[in-house]
Amino acid sequence: MDVLNLVVPAVLTPTGNPTPVEQAVAEGIAAGFDPEMFLWINFRRPDGGVRVWYAWTAGGEPLGDRVDQLATAGGLDAAD
């Protein structure tokens, strides 16, 4: 059975919301790293602030969940 892949063109509209662009950049960065890696990505803001994005590379999310489960069970989970 052949699968038809449809490509839908992106609709670009002016917006003051940088979130979709930042998300796309974070996902693109994550795609370039080895599996099971946690990334912390800082986007510098024009006002001097920083927006932080966290990203897992392929396979990292289940690994992170397992680490959290073990840490919580051992009483070591202080980050959440």
Side-chain angles (χ1 to χ4, degrees):
M1 173 189 235
D2 291 329
V3 177
L4 178 62
N5 291 322
L6 299 176
V7 177
V8 179
V11 177
L12 301 176
T13 56
T15 177
N17 181 4
T19 302
V21 172
E22 290 175 356
Q23 181 177 2
V25 170
E27 289 172 358
I29 291 170
F33 283 87
D34 291 334
E36 299 182 343
M37 183 175 285
F38 177 75
L39 303 174
W40 177 308
I41 302 164
N42 295 327
F43 288 94
R44 306 280 178 205
R45 311 297 303 160
D47 63 3
V50 176
R51 186 190 307 243
V52 179
W53 279 80
Y54 306 102
W56 280 104
T57 61
E61 200 165 332
L63 173 64
D65 290 344
R66 181 68 180 136
V67 169
D68 276 349
Q69 290 169 354
L70 294 172
T72 301
L76 301 173
D77 191 23
D80 292 339

